[in-house]
Every structure is written in C-alpha cells, then in structure tokens.
Amino acid sequence: MALNRTNSIQNLQRFSSPEEIVTALHHELDAIKAACKKDDPDMDRAAEDFIVLFEQYLHEKGDCIDWGKIRPPAADRIIPHRNLPAIREDTTADMLGKLAVLKLNGGLGTSMGCVGPKSAISVRDDLSFLDLCVRQIEHLNDQHEVRVPLVLMNSFNTHVDTQMILRKYKHKNVEIRTFNQSKFPRIYKETLQPLPVDASDSTEWYPPGHGDLYRSLMESGELDKLLDSGKEWLFVSNIDNLGATVDPAMLQFLHEKPDCEFVMEVTDKTQADVKGGTLIEYDDRIRLLEVAQVPKEFIEEFKSVTKFRVFNTNNLWINLRAIKRVYDQETLRMEIIENTKTLDDGRHVIQLEQAVGSAIQSFHNAVGVNVPRSRFLPVKKTSDLLLVMSNLFAISHGSLVLSEHRVFKHLPLVKLGDSFKKVDSFLRRFGNIPDMLELDHLTVAGDVSFGRNVILRGTVIIIANEGERIDIPPGAILENKIVTGNLRIMDH
C-alpha cells in the first residue's frame, strides 16, 4: 500500500529554517525506509549517506567561490605528458600487477535513443564500449602475464542488464568485478523534501554522480578486496571515453613518484570544451573548478581558452590506500553540485551530486598531467559516434588508433542535426559510413541521407530545408561544398 505524504509535503510548504528542513527530511526518509526495506535492504545505509550529503548542501548553499582568490596552478602542478619518465620494460609487468581499472558504468543510453546501459551500445565493428574495454584489459593480461581486473561501478539503472551482459566474457582472461553506487531520492526544488514514498517509481530516484565512487567503493567492501589482492592504484575513467586506455608512461611516473596520491589527466581546451572543469590553485590547494560553481558574472571568463587552458578528461589515477585513509579519517572533501531538472510530469526537482575529480584537494602531492587529445575521445552524441565509426580510426586490441593516412592530427568538427540524434535514425541515414580521412568540418541539418561509398573532404555543409529532402548519391565526392535545397535520387 502506498504511503500518504504529510500535508506539508503535499502543499510544498516552505520551511522557516535549515533545522526544520533537516527534521522534516529525517521524518520522510524514515517513512521511505519502512516502505522500501523489503525491496532494498541497503536503504538504511543509503538514507544515512544522503543525510550527510544533504546537510553539506545546506551548509554550502549560497556560498560562492571567491573569484579574486583563483590562481592558475603552479608550473610543477601540471606536468606535460612528454616530460613523464621513459617507460622501463623491466618494471611494466610489476606495475601492472598493482593496478586495477575502474570504469564508470552508471549511465543509460537514453540520450542517444537506446535502451539499457550506455556501455552496451555498439560503437565500432559491432563492438560495444564494454567489449572494447574487455579486449584492452585482456590484451594487457596476455601480453605481460598479469591479472589486471576490470571493475565496473554500476548504478541501479544499469546493474541488472550489465550482469546479464557480463556472462559472455566468462571465458576471457579478465577478472570482471562490479559494485553499485548509491541510490538517492530526488528532492523537490520548492521544499527540499524527497519525492518518493517507496521504491515503485525509479524516476524519483537517481545515482548521485561519479563522486559517489569513494563512498560506494568503501561501503561495498570492494576497496578492501582490491588492497587484499595487492592492488595499489586505481585507473578511473568514463566508460564512453574510448581514449582512456592504460598508459604505461603514467604507471612509470607513479612508480617513480610514490608520494603522489592522485593524478588527473587534463588536456588543452578548445572552443568545443569551454564548459569543461579546470584545475585551479585556491587557498594554496589544487582544486577542480566546475562550470556549475562559477558565479554568473564570470562564466565568460571561465570559458576563456587563454586564462583556463586545460580541462579535466575525468581520467584519474588514484592511490587505493590514500582513498581508504581520507575516507576513514573523514578528510575527503568534494563540493556539492546542485543539478536541477524538470520531470516529464512537470515537477521541479534537485539532484545533489559530486564530481569524482573534485576530491583532488584531499590527496597528498596531487598533480595534473597534460595529455594528448587522443586520450579524450568521448562518445556523447551521434556526431561523436560518426567519428569513431569512420576510417579515421582503426582498432588495435580494443583501442582506437588514429589512421596513419590522416594528414591532420586533429579530428574533424562534426555537427549533425536532430534527424540524426537517435542511433537508429542515424544508422538508417547512411548506406555506410563515409570516407572522412580528409574531412575538416561537416554540418548536416534536416532530412539528409547518404548513399554508399561517399567521400567527404575539406568543409562540407548539407542543409535540407523543412519539407525538403537531400539524398547524397552513392560514390559522391563532396569537397568544400555547400549543398542546400532538394536532391533526391529516385529508383527508375
């Protein structure tokens, strides 16, 4: 039987003090725990963790970063990748033996029109993100005769499907381990009180961002298991970043700098990355500054590629014992990100989240390493998918490698319109993926389809106006062309 809310919640009454808000939240969470206990035995712990997050949010609410205190990091806090120590083959296997690879696997593929975990989307040669990850780790293990485990942090949205998918890897030379991140209630924007009354509606719950990694890694027992098996380092990355592979040069650096507990991979910012988080010096500590933390009057300055030259790739190398220390000593510090959303039924809600990289301030001798752009190859949209599916890349042991036939080392800028937004419609519009080796810029908008064996070079802009259709014929070569109007090839 569904529980009834208190009148104060039904009426979205405003509370007069933070203390009243917290008291009301405790009352609501007690009711939710009672309703969810059968379906979710971990709800007690989740409620306690959410209270801690919520109280930090109330404490921080209204606080703004002092823009005048922001300084660029000192030169020795961001190290060029080319300055990392030379790789020593005689130590590589030993270093790999101390490494675990963790992929953030909590997201769904809904933004690209797919059902289930995003990691299951086919991105290249019928291989999914997860397939490619497994191939990479298996190759490392085979090549160096080691046992690097692949650890997946799932969410309640991805856990069941992921467990089913993992069955197909049971004969691979990869130990795959999983744990779930927290499940927290969304809260009303007006009252700061929780939406759910029980566990029946998953849209009223959310996974609280990848900053939950530290808490969930500890509370699941997975961190202690990794330490007990001799692991010392965790390489963390988003599962949809196809450039985030194990880097022997980074391992060599960590081997030679044992006092460094945290490394964030950053890369040079372009106009396409102006909203990405960046490293700063603040109160004599290195910190991650996210766009959500920037006062409105300084947003344009934050986007500057001259003042803030690098951004966070979310590829992180973290000492496992240091994670345990800062968690046990309660010195782990991460700012709250207030993520406001409007649900399909019109309710305005808040999700309280944290970024995994913001913990950099909690670790000793943390640094950034400015890596080549090739280590940041995320697939967030179908325009990204077009790039990684094209002949711009080849696959080597699960890793994407830029084609040697590509003259320019930067990737083309690709902008696809709404007709290409979902993966199914995107695939239907290509007879096969065009040759893009000499492409610099592609913009496509409207009802446009491509025949087989099309070649795109230079700058190509194709715009079909509303009610019109453009079919690019098979074998067409478009070089520095603008195509507009109506072009349709009919069967005779």
Side-chain angles (χ1 to χ4, degrees):
M1 181 178 71
L3 300 178
N4 291 322
R5 287 204 170 277
T6 61
N7 290 331
S8 61
I9 303 304
Q10 291 170 341
N11 297 327
L12 301 181
Q13 172 185 324
R14 295 184 181 276
F15 296 94
S16 60
S17 69
E19 291 76 15
E20 287 187 16
I21 295 173
V22 173
T23 299
L25 181 68
H26 274 282
H27 174 76
E28 292 292 320
L29 289 176
D30 285 343
I32 293 170
K33 286 190 293 184
C36 294
K37 193 152 274 188
K38 286 184 181 178
D39 301 317
D40 191 346
D42 295 325
M43 186 54 66
D44 282 347
R45 189 187 69 198
E48 292 174 8
D49 291 340
F50 182 71
I51 285 287
V52 172
L53 192 70
F54 184 80
E55 290 182 338
Q56 180 187 341
Y57 166 69
L58 289 182
H59 178 73
E60 291 179 359
K61 192 170 175 59
D63 290 347
C64 289
I65 196 162
D66 185 343
W67 198 254
K69 293 168 64 176
I70 291 176
R71 298 287 182 270
D76 62 345
R77 304 301 291 271
I78 299 185
I79 303 165
H81 187 271
R82 62 180 177 274
N83 291 353
L84 295 183
I87 300 168
R88 290 179 49 190
E89 297 297 334
D90 60 322
T91 61
T92 299
D94 179 60
M95 292 184 298
L96 285 170
K98 299 174 182 178
L99 179 70
V101 174
L102 187 145
K103 296 292 182 179
L104 303 169
N105 187 47
L108 296 170
T110 49
S111 65
M112 296 174 70
C114 298
V115 177
K118 186 176 183 181
S119 57
I121 295 176
S122 178
V123 290
R124 176 80 191 217
D125 300 345
D126 293 326
L127 297 172
S128 68
F129 292 105
L130 195 50
D131 292 335
L132 294 171
C133 288
V134 171
R135 284 196 177 191
Q136 291 167 21
I137 305 301
E138 184 177 40
H139 175 65
L140 276 178
N141 290 341
D142 289 343
Q143 183 181 24
H144 298 281
E145 297 182 346
V146 293
R147 289 189 61 80
V148 176
L150 174 61
V151 185
L152 301 177
M153 184 172 82
N154 300 329
S155 70
F156 66 90
N157 289 320
T158 63
H159 173 70
V160 173
D161 288 338
T162 298
Q163 294 303 116
M164 293 178 63
I165 293 168
L166 292 182
R167 296 173 187 170
K168 70 178 181 177
Y169 306 121
K170 63 182 179 180
H171 298 301
K172 300 289 186 180
N173 183 21
V174 183
E175 178 191 7
I176 304 177
R177 306 162 73 148
T178 66
F179 66 97
N180 278 11
Q181 67 177 121
S182 302
K183 177 181 178 180
F184 286 166
R186 286 171 164 158
I187 57 177
Y188 284 105
K189 184 178 180 182
E190 295 87 348
T191 64
L192 304 183
Q193 296 300 296
L195 270 70
V197 294
D198 54 31
S200 61
D201 186 352
S202 63
T203 66
E204 297 183 335
W205 301 83
Y206 74 101
H210 40 60
D212 188 61
L213 180 147
Y214 307 101
R215 175 172 46 241
S216 295
L217 193 64
M218 284 290 297
E219 293 183 352
S220 67
E222 190 58 39
L223 186 135
D224 286 331
K225 292 176 185 176
L226 291 171
L227 288 172
D228 290 344
S229 64
K231 304 305 176 186
E232 297 181 9
W233 285 95
L234 194 65
F235 173 44
V236 179
S237 64
N238 298 335
I239 200 161
D240 63 3
N241 180 7
L242 295 177
T245 58
V246 173
D247 182 3
M250 200 71 74
L251 281 173
Q252 190 68 47
F253 171 78
L254 297 172
H255 178 71
E256 296 185 17
K257 299 286 186 181
D259 58 339
C260 174
E261 296 181 341
F262 191 110
V263 176
M264 174 184 290
E265 294 187 25
V266 297
T267 195
D268 291 340
K269 186 191 289 189
T270 71
Q271 290 297 332
D273 317 304
V274 293
K275 293 186 178 180
T278 191
L279 286 179
I280 60 170
E281 198 97 20
Y282 193 85
D283 288 338
D284 298 321
R285 305 176 82 176
I286 193 167
R287 281 180 55 173
L288 176 66
L289 177 64
E290 298 279 7
V291 66
Q293 299 169 280
V294 178
K296 289 182 180 179
E297 62 268 30
F298 297 111
I299 289 290
E300 292 307 312
E301 189 176 343
F302 174 81
K303 293 179 180 179
S304 166
V305 297
T306 54
K307 181 169 183 176
F308 300 104
R309 298 173 183 268
V310 298
F311 72 97
N312 171 29
T313 67
N314 220 38
N315 300 346
L316 309 171
W317 303 76
I318 315 174
N319 184 287
L320 287 166
R321 293 198 182 280
I323 294 176
K324 186 173 179 63
R325 184 193 74 241
V326 298
Y327 191 86
D328 287 345
Q329 295 180 359
E330 299 183 356
T331 57
L332 183 65
R333 172 67 182 166
M334 293 182 289
E335 291 76 27
I336 303 288
I337 298 171
E338 181 185 286
N339 187 359
T340 58
K341 291 180 176 291
T342 301
L343 302 184
D344 290 342
D345 59 11
R347 287 181 291 177
H348 301 294
V349 302
I350 292 173
Q351 296 179 181
L352 304 182
E353 302 177 1
Q354 292 171 308
V356 62
S358 67
I360 189 171
Q361 61 192 298
S362 306
F363 293 87
H364 297 157
N365 302 302
V367 297
V369 172
N370 192 346
V371 299
R373 185 75 182 201
S374 58
R375 291 193 57 76
F376 183 68
L377 192 59
V379 179
K380 304 294 186 185
K381 301 176 291 187
T382 53
S383 54
D384 303 321
L385 190 59
L386 179 61
L387 290 172
V388 301
M389 292 179 71
S390 75
N391 59 346
L392 289 164
F393 292 96
I395 289 184
S396 175
H397 307 295
S399 300
L400 265 65
V401 180
L402 189 65
S403 171
E404 61 183 12
H405 301 296
R406 171 74 174 174
V407 176
F408 306 107
K409 295 309 175 186
H410 66 273
L411 293 178
L413 177 62
V414 175
K415 298 179 179 178
L416 301 179
D418 289 344
S419 299
F420 293 79
K421 188 174 182 180
K422 306 300 183 184
V423 172
D424 284 349
S425 58
F426 163 84
L427 293 173
R428 284 197 303 268
R429 291 181 177 275
F430 291 97
N432 61 0
I433 302 300
D435 181 325
M436 298 168 58
L437 281 175
E438 298 179 48
L439 180 67
D440 186 52
H441 178 108
L442 174 66
T443 294
V444 184
D447 188 0
V448 179
S449 295
F450 293 79
R452 295 183 61 81
N453 303 322
V454 172
I455 299 175
L456 304 174
R457 296 173 178 160
T459 296
V460 178
I461 300 173
I462 307 170
I463 299 176
N465 296 325
E466 188 172 352
E468 297 177 337
R469 174 173 168 176
I470 295 177
D471 288 340
I472 304 301
I477 300 175
L478 300 181
E479 183 172 1
N480 296 320
K481 290 285 189 278
I482 298 176
V483 182
T484 61
N486 188 65
L487 173 64
R488 188 171 183 183
I489 308 301
M490 306 292 291
D491 290 334
H492 182 64

